[in-house]
Amino acid sequence: MSHNTFGHLFRVTTWGESHGPAIGCVVDGCPPLIPLTEADIQPWLDRRRPGQSRYTTQRREPDAVRILSGVHTDQNGRQVTTGTPIALMIENVDQRSKDYSDISTSYRPGHADYTYEVKYGIRDPRGGGRSSARETAMRVAAGAIARKVVPGLRVRGALVQVGPHRIDPQRWDWDEVDRNPFFCPDATTAELWADFLDGVRKAGSSTGAVVEVVADGVPAGLGAPVYGKLDQDIAAGLMSINAVKGVEIGAGFAAAALSGEDNADEMRMGNDGTVRFLSNNAGGILGGLSTGQPVVARFAVKPTSSILTPRRTVTREGTDAEISTKGRHDPCVGIRAVPVGEAMLAIVIADHYLRHRAQIGR
Amino acid sequence: MSHNTFGHLFRVTTWGESHGPAIGCVVDGCPPLIPLTEADIQPWLDRRRPGQSRYTTQRREPDAVRILSGVHTDQNGRQVTTGTPIALMIENVDQRSKDYSDISTSYRPGHADYTYEVKYGIRDPRGGGRSSARETAMRVAAGAIARKVVPGLRVRGALVQVGPHRIDPQRWDWDEVDRNPFFCPDATTAELWADFLDGVRKAGSSTGAVVEVVADGVPAGLGAPVYGKLDQDIAAGLMSINAVKGVEIGAGFAAAALSGEDNADEMRMGNDGTVRFLSNNAGGILGGLSTGQPVVARFAVKPTSSILTPRRTVTREGTDAEISTKGRHDPCVGIRAVPVGEAMLAIVIADHYLRHRAQIGR
Amino acid sequence: MSHNTFGHLFRVTTWGESHGPAIGCVVDGCPPLIPLTEADIQPWLDRRRPGQSRYTTQRREPDAVRILSGVHTDQNGRQVTTGTPIALMIENVDQRSKDYSDISTSYRPGHADYTYEVKYGIRDPRGGGRSSARETAMRVAAGAIARKVVPGLRVRGALVQVGPHRIDPQRWDWDEVDRNPFFCPDATTAELWADFLDGVRKAGSSTGAVVEVVADGVPAGLGAPVYGKLDQDIAAGLMSINAVKGVEIGAGFAAAALSGEDNADEMRMGNDGTVRFLSNNAGGILGGLSTGQPVVARFAVKPTSSILTPRRTVTREGTDAEISTKGRHDPCVGIRAVPVGEAMLAIVIADHYLRHRAQIGR
Amino acid sequence: MSHNTFGHLFRVTTWGESHGPAIGCVVDGCPPLIPLTEADIQPWLDRRRPGQSRYTTQRREPDAVRILSGVHTDQNGRQVTTGTPIALMIENVDQRSKDYSDISTSYRPGHADYTYEVKYGIRDPRGGGRSSARETAMRVAAGAIARKVVPGLRVRGALVQVGPHRIDPQRWDWDEVDRNPFFCPDATTAELWADFLDGVRKAGSSTGAVVEVVADGVPAGLGAPVYGKLDQDIAAGLMSINAVKGVEIGAGFAAAALSGEDNADEMRMGNDGTVRFLSNNAGGILGGLSTGQPVVARFAVKPTSSILTPRRTVTREGTDAEISTKGRHDPCVGIRAVPVGEAMLAIVIADHYLRHRAQIGR
């Protein structure tokens, strides 16, 4: 049991606060002999990096990752994993302080600073310590390793809703995802979001969002029927991301309104002699086990509570007060949650791939 | 790591198949000196028991629980926990076989029998082995113990949506929940559901549903900021229930459409000198830690795939086929998921209560 | 984390007290399709069963094991594991009470009843609850399953010291082990022990012992270099047996007196092209990893504290007293520890076999 | 489950190889508000540091530890733990290569390089990767934190045997331990060891040793009766140290030769109204639970296999060969194992202290 470790056999332990000297993680249980250099990890971090558009926080961090252990250069000069723990570290650069005059004496509504102080007896005004989104950089780094553990695995994500505005699934184009600052798979909706988010940003406000993550190439049979369900761990992994308030698999909450006839994915033999599903309401998981179809999950990200509009709150001394957050804002934290959601999905699948191999032997 | 254990310090390990001689569980980590007899557990099992109305499966099981270990009668004649593992067992009575002619050769679309056979190399036509809902009886039994671990804790649940029909939150009445066969908190909607479900049942069809579970009396500060988040474990616990496809906390997916102004729960000092939240979009959890407000979670249950209408499928031999499920049906498995969801929420909170006590010391 | 579970991937959770209705265990993580019936388990339990000679406790228990879950009869009528949790249960038969007049008011020196009451606030005079040796029956049962998980594995044990009398390793004969009531591999020493233990028994006294367990057929490479060391888990497994006060691997404590020249096992190529070690001071483990040689461990069992001679103690009320234990005695609990030690070694090796398979993939 | 984590609630995850840029660890689960600076850790590392006498390896490392996360400066300017993961790091300085010509092609008898290559498919000639004793520096660092978790705890250690030469327990003087380069509690024996080890060193040989570690101030009741035994985890923790081949608690292996009369520690009421034990053969642990007496454990350290004398071995290509290790030697690795054993004992006790608090609530 641990408060800061995720996974059972492919295990990720993260550490570090946004205002300390560095953040890092230890990836334990990775198989040996997998080619791995910083160049395999850095591009995923670059996708998540803040400050790349006016729609995300202006904190500027190069987020240059270093591998401190767990790799080895073989006779052919190729750097590979050794099977020992892989330590990753990113030095914090931009530790510029916000204007903390208000928030050091009052709690921000919707923020963890109140519950933090109740639990730990500590009031850390500088970015919330471990509750900072900065921790998610290490998830992305660990996820880059997880992607290499399962042969043939591809994990992708997209933003599918911003505030009240959803994409049109008919216009879904994976190639579009990297062409706009929102990871939006639908070019038309991306334009609409740009306008909407400009308004949010100028108002010093914020908005929620929904992210969809999809894993192709997941072998059938990963998971277990009761408390080792693949979807159980996906739910845990995605809900563990900051600001996430809901998780669904396949048809998800929409399945509640369906009949058995409409929900169950029918099957036919494919020409290649393998089983083919005619739909994917299951999101690639039946009875906690992967079906071989793409694994599809969605999660809801609430709007950040750091907004300009004054809100009613209380002070540490127990008096009523008002608070507004000045300085850097993040109008839609859901945008940067896309690479983080991908990483968590990859980590869960890598973990279950190893768990499956242990019990089943292949 | 385990495939059949849930929890870290309050740990529940379940075993048994619906067609074996018995099912059971071991509850480990329970504190000593808590009064506990079968009478503390049986009423919760009775609420979940099938065959109590025409809207649930007609399997008839008395579900009489026995405590086999972990209790002791003290000098005052009171039976209390000893701090050692509590073994619970329920003998299976109704093992009447369904008509399995079809389903032993073909896979049921939307059912785990396909993924099961891919993983384990075993084709168990008799009710799906561990994927049977029967396993959830032991969750309810363990949940009854969990309810006693946290002083002042009360966990309740209700069905809030059946097929497309949602309750009206304005008419929510907890007292109503036990007056209808649906755990519905809204008498008017309960009548509507009765008609709707009669139709579903007569058609040999099935429908999905949404359950809401609420925990009052959760102390503030339970949880941890990163991978020990209280909501992370609630998500895992609820998603581990059979047929669940989505989980949300507080405002959940609706938070995606909100602005920061509308989502953040404002705070004021109460007359009694404690902090009061003016709303509960957070569902009682901020930054992974409980706020002291009621913890509110919702989960979506898909319609069962055991329906009369013939569906396209494939046989074990790899040919196309049609299949329909005869015999006992369960038009809305979401109904009986209510006590199961309550139990999982209670187990997660008991576990975090012990985890909190370990690190914080109170 | 659990107080009553042993193992990581091959996990054994035991429950039950010696004076309750039954004892049992759940074996989780066992691979599917392994042939398993009660007949595979019962012979190992019979070896451990008390009351088989005058040198062990006269408690009489048939110890008939039942498999309650996790198996399935395949098309060929063969019962095999399904990959789901295997629940085992043994009903308690001989619950005859000892004369507890003394020991319900005073603590037995060298016994856990004092520490038990300090921890749990409970005074269970009837055999010590979970500290009873009865729990070890379930270890032997689980060990019988573990033996079947690793192809080619053979685990054997022998008693090598009783009181001050050690066997002569030159006379070691595995066939002799089952010909005397002591699991002694040396016929000459067995006769000496018979006399010695008759004296101990008649005096109402007790004696310590040393057990050696050996596993042949352990594949090279099981374990991990740091906290997943094979010998670390063997040490934990053997030390977790009641009354064990020491554990050693290979040369063990004797290695402290050796030089590097004398201790290191030299290597040569065998005629079959495999590496051959010229000695086995390492006990089959180097750097926490198995070498492919037999894994050899030894553990010391203290004499039981239930003896006739009056001993100084204190009462629960805090006054000085004397105590002696009447009723059934066990002059040398080390004898029956032999099958228990074998079982724990088998469980550790099965667990590491699965762990190895997860990370290395074969 | 993890290969590189030790502990359940007080968890230590180590990473790093002796020839990489750094080594480090993450301590998770530490309670908040415990004063902690580098100055609390460095002295313990300095005691373990190599190169301090001619009797240990001449590798020279300043071993300067940095705290990278998990601490916070409070209003009074005092640095305290925050309850979040504490990351520690030590940069490697002395990476001078040995003469590896031999050992890159042949295996060293008694060394892990053979089993390593069998498992991971990797031949790392440069100091054995994770099997290097360098990893133990992080145990000492984590142990320094563990010492602060349990109020009133004091953990000390001493070398009690070098080769065949044991100390005289009658001359035990804790103050002497820090006055000689051997952590020897007996001044007379220390002189004898100096001569003996000079001979070993000049011969390019090595010798085994036995270490004793003692914890005072351990509250009664820590541990659990079955698989959460305090001594079980001590055995695991000490056996996980490099080169350890045996572990014993209290009288240990000597208990095998004792009668029940001689072994059981009698009890009397003390003048202060608390229970007093008249001896401590139990080593402070009965039935897996601490008694309140000092916890006493001993472990055997084998001689290192890196010696000058040529030994028979095989090459990676599968031919017979001879090998001798040139360069830096460590005549008695048992000396530096003293602070490491102390640290592991402290870590186990801190872990059980938190586990006890979780279940018992105080």
Side-chain angles (χ1 to χ4, degrees):
Chain A
M1 199 213 76
S2 171
H3 310 291
N4 293 282
T5 297
F6 190 84
H8 297 272
L9 296 184
F10 185 88
R11 289 171 68 83
V12 179
T13 302
T14 66
W15 56 266
E17 287 85 31
S18 65
H19 287 74
I23 58 173
C25 74
V26 183
V27 176
D28 198 8
C30 185
L33 305 179
I34 296 177
L36 182 71
T37 68
E38 274 99 349
D40 292 308
I41 303 172
Q42 195 62 50
W44 302 106
L45 283 167
D46 292 346
R47 285 181 79 219
R48 177 203 159 277
R49 203 171 55 208
Q52 302 192 91
S53 82
R54 66 181 181 273
Y55 305 106
T56 61
T57 177
Q58 294 307 300
R59 179 175 176 129
R60 299 215 164 256
E61 288 284 0
D63 278 354
V65 69
R66 286 180 66 200
I67 302 177
L68 296 177
S69 69
V71 294
H72 160 94
T73 303
D74 68 13
Q75 291 97 321
N76 307 318
R78 204 177 52 154
Q79 185 166 293
V80 297
T81 59
T82 56
T84 61
I86 303 168
L88 305 176
M89 190 168 76
I90 294 175
E91 288 183 45
N92 288 329
V93 173
D94 182 357
Q95 301 177 36
R96 170 170 45 130
S97 276
K98 296 187 195 174
D99 178 346
Y100 288 118
S101 47
D102 272 3
I103 64 177
S104 64
T105 54
S106 298
Y107 303 109
R108 282 167 288 177
H111 194 277
D113 47 18
Y114 171 69
T115 52
Y116 232 73
E117 182 161 355
V118 167
K119 184 178 190 95
Y120 297 112
I122 285 173
R123 177 68 176 137
D124 180 359
R126 302 161 314 163
R130 285 290 280 167
S131 68
S132 160
R134 185 128 186 77
E135 185 268 347
T136 61
M138 298 321 304
R139 303 179 183 225
V140 172
I145 301 175
R147 291 170 191 266
K148 306 195 76 172
V149 167
V150 186
L153 176 68
R154 181 165 65 165
V155 180
R156 294 181 287 186
L159 203 64
V160 297
Q161 182 181 335
V162 169
H165 308 293
R166 298 191 189 189
I167 62 150
D168 178 351
Q170 303 300 322
R171 285 197 300 254
W172 189 296
D173 175 5
W174 279 113
D175 291 336
E176 183 59 32
V177 166
D178 289 322
R179 291 195 199 115
N180 61 68
F182 313 112
F183 303 110
C184 179
D186 162 3
T188 309
T189 301
E191 289 179 38
L192 188 155
W193 290 353
D195 286 347
F196 175 73
L197 285 171
D198 276 330
V200 169
R201 185 173 55 83
K202 285 169 188 163
S205 181
S206 64
T207 184
V210 175
V211 175
E212 179 167 322
V213 286
V214 180
D216 294 283
V218 180
L222 303 197
V226 182
Y227 302 118
K229 281 189 164 80
L230 182 59
D231 34 356
Q232 167 184 353
D233 286 350
I234 292 172
L238 297 179
M239 194 68 94
S240 79
I241 300 172
N242 301 33
V244 172
K245 299 303 282 186
V247 177
E248 58 182 14
I249 308 290
F253 275 87
L258 295 180
S259 67
E261 287 78 3
D262 291 341
N263 182 68
D265 303 310
E266 295 183 288
M267 301 156 88
R268 276 289 173 254
M269 292 307 298
N271 293 330
D272 59 352
T274 64
V275 168
R276 201 161 46 89
F277 291 88
L278 307 185
S279 55
N280 191 12
N281 286 322
I285 303 176
L286 284 173
L289 304 167
S290 58
T291 62
Q293 283 203 289
V295 171
V296 180
R298 238 163 283 107
F299 58 97
V301 185
K302 71 175 182 183
T304 177
S305 54
S306 296
I307 51 177
L308 260 181
T309 313
R311 307 297 293 158
R312 285 174 290 177
T313 188
V314 300
T315 63
R316 299 181 67 200
E317 282 68 38
T319 57
D320 288 349
E322 295 218 324
I323 192 167
S324 74
T325 308
K326 302 180 188 74
R328 296 186 293 222
H329 286 98
D330 210 337
C332 182
V333 290
I335 299 173
R336 288 172 58 220
V338 173
V340 181
E342 291 175 14
M344 293 312 293
L345 184 57
I347 290 168
V348 170
I349 291 169
D351 190 33
H352 276 275
Y353 177 76
L354 300 183
R355 293 169 73 169
H356 182 83
R357 205 152 77 167
Q359 194 183 15
I360 306 301
R362 55 182 155 77
Chain B
M1 197 213 77
S2 171
H3 311 292
N4 293 281
T5 296
F6 189 84
H8 297 272
L9 296 184
F10 185 89
R11 288 171 69 82
V12 179
T13 302
T14 67
W15 55 266
E17 292 87 30
S18 65
H19 286 75
I23 58 173
C25 74
V26 184
V27 177
D28 198 8
C30 186
L33 304 179
I34 295 177
L36 183 71
T37 69
E38 274 98 351
D40 292 310
I41 304 172
Q42 195 63 50
W44 302 106
L45 284 167
D46 292 346
R47 287 180 78 220
R48 177 203 159 277
R49 204 171 54 208
Q52 301 192 92
S53 82
R54 65 183 181 274
Y55 306 107
T56 61
T57 178
Q58 293 307 301
R59 179 175 176 129
R60 296 214 166 258
E61 288 284 0
D63 278 355
V65 69
R66 287 180 65 199
I67 302 176
L68 295 177
S69 69
V71 293
H72 160 94
T73 305
D74 68 13
Q75 290 97 319
N76 307 317
R78 204 178 51 154
Q79 185 167 292
V80 296
T81 59
T82 56
T84 60
I86 303 169
L88 306 176
M89 189 168 76
I90 295 175
E91 288 185 44
N92 287 329
V93 172
D94 182 357
Q95 302 176 35
R96 170 169 46 130
S97 276
K98 297 187 194 174
D99 178 346
Y100 288 118
S101 49
D102 273 5
I103 64 174
S104 64
T105 53
S106 297
Y107 304 109
R108 282 168 287 178
H111 194 277
D113 46 19
Y114 171 70
T115 51
Y116 233 72
E117 183 161 355
V118 167
K119 182 178 191 96
Y120 297 111
I122 284 173
R123 176 68 177 134
D124 180 359
R126 304 161 311 163
R130 285 290 279 168
S131 68
S132 161
R134 186 128 187 76
E135 185 267 346
T136 60
M138 298 321 304
R139 303 180 184 223
V140 172
I145 301 176
R147 291 170 191 267
K148 306 194 76 172
V149 166
V150 186
L153 176 68
R154 181 164 66 165
V155 180
R156 294 180 289 186
L159 204 64
V160 296
Q161 182 181 336
V162 169
H165 307 293
R166 301 191 187 186
I167 62 150
D168 178 352
Q170 303 300 323
R171 285 198 299 255
W172 190 295
D173 175 4
W174 279 113
D175 291 336
E176 183 58 32
V177 165
D178 288 322
R179 292 196 199 117
N180 61 68
F182 312 112
F183 304 110
C184 179
D186 162 3
T188 309
T189 301
E191 287 179 41
L192 188 155
W193 288 353
D195 287 346
F196 175 72
L197 285 170
D198 277 329
V200 169
R201 185 173 55 84
K202 286 169 188 163
S205 181
S206 65
T207 185
V210 175
V211 176
E212 180 166 322
V213 286
V214 180
D216 294 283
V218 181
L222 303 196
V226 182
Y227 302 119
K229 281 189 163 80
L230 181 59
D231 35 356
Q232 167 183 352
D233 285 350
I234 292 172
L238 297 178
M239 194 67 95
S240 79
I241 301 172
N242 301 34
V244 172
K245 300 303 282 186
V247 177
E248 58 183 13
I249 308 290
F253 275 87
L258 296 180
S259 67
E261 286 78 3
D262 290 340
N263 181 68
D265 303 310
E266 294 182 289
M267 302 156 86
R268 275 288 174 256
M269 291 309 297
N271 293 330
D272 59 353
T274 65
V275 168
R276 201 161 46 87
F277 290 89
L278 306 185
S279 54
N280 191 12
N281 286 321
I285 303 176
L286 283 174
L289 303 167
S290 58
T291 62
Q293 284 203 287
V295 171
V296 181
R298 238 164 282 109
F299 57 98
V301 185
K302 71 175 183 184
T304 176
S305 55
S306 296
I307 51 176
L308 260 181
T309 313
R311 307 298 293 159
R312 286 173 289 176
T313 187
V314 300
T315 64
R316 298 181 68 202
E317 281 68 39
T319 57
D320 288 350
E322 294 218 325
I323 192 167
S324 74
T325 308
K326 301 180 188 74
R328 297 187 292 224
H329 287 99
D330 210 337
C332 181
V333 291
I335 299 172
R336 289 172 58 220
V338 173
V340 182
E342 290 175 16
M344 292 313 293
L345 184 58
I347 290 168
V348 170
I349 291 168
D351 190 34
H352 275 275
Y353 177 76
L354 299 183
R355 293 168 74 170
H356 181 82
R357 204 153 76 167
Q359 195 183 14
I360 307 300
R362 54 179 158 79
Chain C
M1 197 212 75
S2 172
H3 311 292
N4 293 281
T5 296
F6 189 84
H8 297 272
L9 295 184
F10 185 88
R11 289 171 68 82
V12 179
T13 302
T14 67
W15 56 266
E17 288 83 31
S18 65
H19 286 75
I23 59 173
C25 74
V26 183
V27 177
D28 198 9
C30 185
L33 303 179
I34 295 177
L36 182 71
T37 69
E38 274 98 351
D40 292 309
I41 303 172
Q42 195 62 50
W44 301 106
L45 283 167
D46 293 345
R47 288 181 76 219
R48 176 202 160 277
R49 205 173 52 207
Q52 302 193 90
S53 82
R54 65 182 181 274
Y55 306 106
T56 61
T57 176
Q58 294 307 300
R59 180 176 174 128
R60 296 212 166 260
E61 288 284 0
D63 277 355
V65 69
R66 287 180 66 200
I67 302 177
L68 295 177
S69 70
V71 293
H72 160 94
T73 304
D74 68 14
Q75 290 97 321
N76 306 317
R78 203 177 52 154
Q79 185 167 294
V80 297
T81 59
T82 56
T84 61
I86 304 169
L88 305 176
M89 189 169 76
I90 295 174
E91 288 184 44
N92 288 329
V93 172
D94 182 357
Q95 302 176 36
R96 169 168 47 130
S97 276
K98 298 186 194 175
D99 178 346
Y100 289 116
S101 49
D102 273 5
I103 63 175
S104 64
T105 53
S106 297
Y107 303 109
R108 282 168 288 178
H111 195 277
D113 46 18
Y114 170 70
T115 51
Y116 233 72
E117 184 162 354
V118 167
K119 183 179 190 93
Y120 297 110
I122 284 173
R123 176 71 176 131
D124 181 359
R126 304 160 311 163
R130 285 291 279 168
S131 67
S132 161
R134 185 127 187 77
E135 185 267 347
T136 61
M138 298 322 304
R139 301 180 185 225
V140 172
I145 301 175
R147 290 170 192 267
K148 306 194 75 172
V149 167
V150 186
L153 177 67
R154 181 165 64 165
V155 180
R156 294 181 288 187
L159 204 64
V160 296
Q161 181 181 336
V162 169
H165 307 292
R166 298 192 188 187
I167 62 151
D168 178 350
Q170 303 301 320
R171 286 198 298 255
W172 190 295
D173 175 5
W174 278 113
D175 291 337
E176 183 58 32
V177 166
D178 288 322
R179 292 195 198 115
N180 61 68
F182 312 112
F183 303 111
C184 179
D186 162 4
T188 309
T189 301
E191 288 179 40
L192 187 155
W193 289 353
D195 286 346
F196 175 72
L197 285 171
D198 276 330
V200 169
R201 185 173 54 83
K202 286 170 188 162
S205 181
S206 64
T207 185
V210 176
V211 175
E212 179 167 322
V213 286
V214 180
D216 293 284
V218 180
L222 303 197
V226 182
Y227 302 118
K229 281 189 162 80
L230 181 58
D231 36 356
Q232 167 183 351
D233 285 350
I234 292 172
L238 297 178
M239 193 67 94
S240 79
I241 301 172
N242 301 33
V244 172
K245 300 303 282 187
V247 177
E248 58 183 13
I249 307 290
F253 275 88
L258 296 180
S259 68
E261 285 79 3
D262 290 339
N263 180 68
D265 303 310
E266 294 182 290
M267 301 155 87
R268 275 288 173 256
M269 292 308 298
N271 293 331
D272 60 353
T274 65
V275 168
R276 201 162 45 87
F277 290 88
L278 306 185
S279 55
N280 191 11
N281 285 322
I285 303 176
L286 283 174
L289 304 167
S290 58
T291 63
Q293 283 203 290
V295 171
V296 180
R298 238 163 283 107
F299 57 98
V301 185
K302 71 175 183 184
T304 176
S305 54
S306 297
I307 52 177
L308 260 180
T309 314
R311 308 298 292 157
R312 286 174 288 178
T313 187
V314 299
T315 65
R316 297 181 70 202
E317 282 68 38
T319 58
D320 288 350
E322 294 217 325
I323 192 168
S324 74
T325 307
K326 301 179 188 76
R328 296 186 295 222
H329 287 99
D330 211 339
C332 181
V333 290
I335 299 173
R336 288 172 59 220
V338 173
V340 182
E342 289 174 16
M344 293 311 294
L345 183 57
I347 290 168
V348 170
I349 291 168
D351 190 34
H352 275 275
Y353 177 76
L354 300 183
R355 293 169 73 170
H356 182 83
R357 204 153 77 167
Q359 196 184 13
I360 306 300
R362 54 182 157 77
Chain D
M1 196 212 78
S2 172
H3 310 292
N4 292 282
T5 297
F6 189 84
H8 297 272
L9 296 184
F10 185 88
R11 289 172 68 83
V12 180
T13 301
T14 66
W15 56 266
E17 291 87 29
S18 65
H19 287 74
I23 58 174
C25 74
V26 183
V27 176
D28 197 9
C30 185
L33 304 180
I34 295 177
L36 182 72
T37 68
E38 274 98 349
D40 292 308
I41 304 172
Q42 195 62 50
W44 302 106
L45 284 167
D46 292 346
R47 285 181 78 219
R48 177 203 158 278
R49 205 172 53 208
Q52 302 191 90
S53 81
R54 66 182 180 275
Y55 305 106
T56 61
T57 177
Q58 294 307 299
R59 179 177 175 127
R60 298 213 164 258
E61 288 284 0
D63 278 354
V65 69
R66 285 180 66 200
I67 302 176
L68 296 177
S69 69
V71 293
H72 160 94
T73 304
D74 69 13
Q75 291 96 322
N76 307 317
R78 203 176 54 153
Q79 186 167 291
V80 297
T81 59
T82 56
T84 60
I86 304 169
L88 305 176
M89 190 169 75
I90 295 175
E91 289 184 44
N92 288 328
V93 172
D94 181 358
Q95 301 177 36
R96 168 170 47 131
S97 276
K98 298 186 194 173
D99 178 348
Y100 288 119
S101 49
D102 273 5
I103 64 175
S104 64
T105 54
S106 297
Y107 302 108
R108 281 167 288 177
H111 194 277
D113 46 17
Y114 171 69
T115 51
Y116 232 74
E117 183 161 355
V118 167
K119 184 178 190 95
Y120 296 111
I122 284 173
R123 177 68 176 136
D124 180 359
R126 302 161 313 163
R130 284 291 279 168
S131 67
S132 160
R134 185 129 186 76
E135 185 268 346
T136 61
M138 298 321 304
R139 303 179 183 225
V140 172
I145 301 175
R147 291 170 191 267
K148 307 195 74 172
V149 167
V150 186
L153 175 69
R154 180 165 65 165
V155 180
R156 294 180 288 185
L159 203 64
V160 297
Q161 181 182 334
V162 168
H165 308 292
R166 298 192 189 187
I167 61 149
D168 179 350
Q170 303 300 322
R171 285 198 299 255
W172 189 297
D173 175 4
W174 279 113
D175 291 337
E176 182 60 31
V177 166
D178 289 322
R179 292 196 200 114
N180 61 68
F182 312 112
F183 302 110
C184 179
D186 161 3
T188 310
T189 301
E191 287 178 39
L192 188 154
W193 289 353
D195 286 347
F196 175 73
L197 285 171
D198 276 330
V200 169
R201 186 172 54 84
K202 285 170 189 161
S205 181
S206 65
T207 185
V210 176
V211 175
E212 179 167 320
V213 285
V214 180
D216 294 282
V218 181
L222 303 196
V226 182
Y227 302 118
K229 281 189 162 80
L230 182 59
D231 34 357
Q232 167 184 351
D233 285 350
I234 292 172
L238 297 179
M239 193 67 95
S240 80
I241 301 172
N242 301 34
V244 172
K245 300 302 281 186
V247 177
E248 58 183 13
I249 308 290
F253 275 88
L258 295 180
S259 68
E261 286 79 2
D262 290 342
N263 181 67
D265 302 311
E266 294 182 289
M267 301 154 87
R268 275 288 174 255
M269 291 307 298
N271 293 330
D272 59 351
T274 65
V275 168
R276 201 162 46 90
F277 291 89
L278 307 184
S279 55
N280 192 11
N281 285 323
I285 303 176
L286 284 173
L289 303 168
S290 57
T291 63
Q293 283 202 288
V295 172
V296 180
R298 239 164 282 107
F299 57 98
V301 184
K302 71 176 182 183
T304 177
S305 55
S306 297
I307 51 177
L308 259 181
T309 314
R311 308 297 293 158
R312 285 174 291 177
T313 188
V314 300
T315 64
R316 299 181 67 200
E317 281 70 38
T319 57
D320 287 349
E322 294 215 324
I323 191 167
S324 74
T325 308
K326 301 179 189 74
R328 298 187 292 224
H329 286 99
D330 210 338
C332 181
V333 290
I335 299 173
R336 288 172 57 220
V338 174
V340 181
E342 291 175 13
M344 292 312 294
L345 184 57
I347 290 168
V348 171
I349 291 168
D351 190 32
H352 275 274
Y353 177 76
L354 299 183
R355 292 169 73 169
H356 181 83
R357 205 153 77 167
Q359 195 183 13
I360 306 301
R362 55 182 156 77

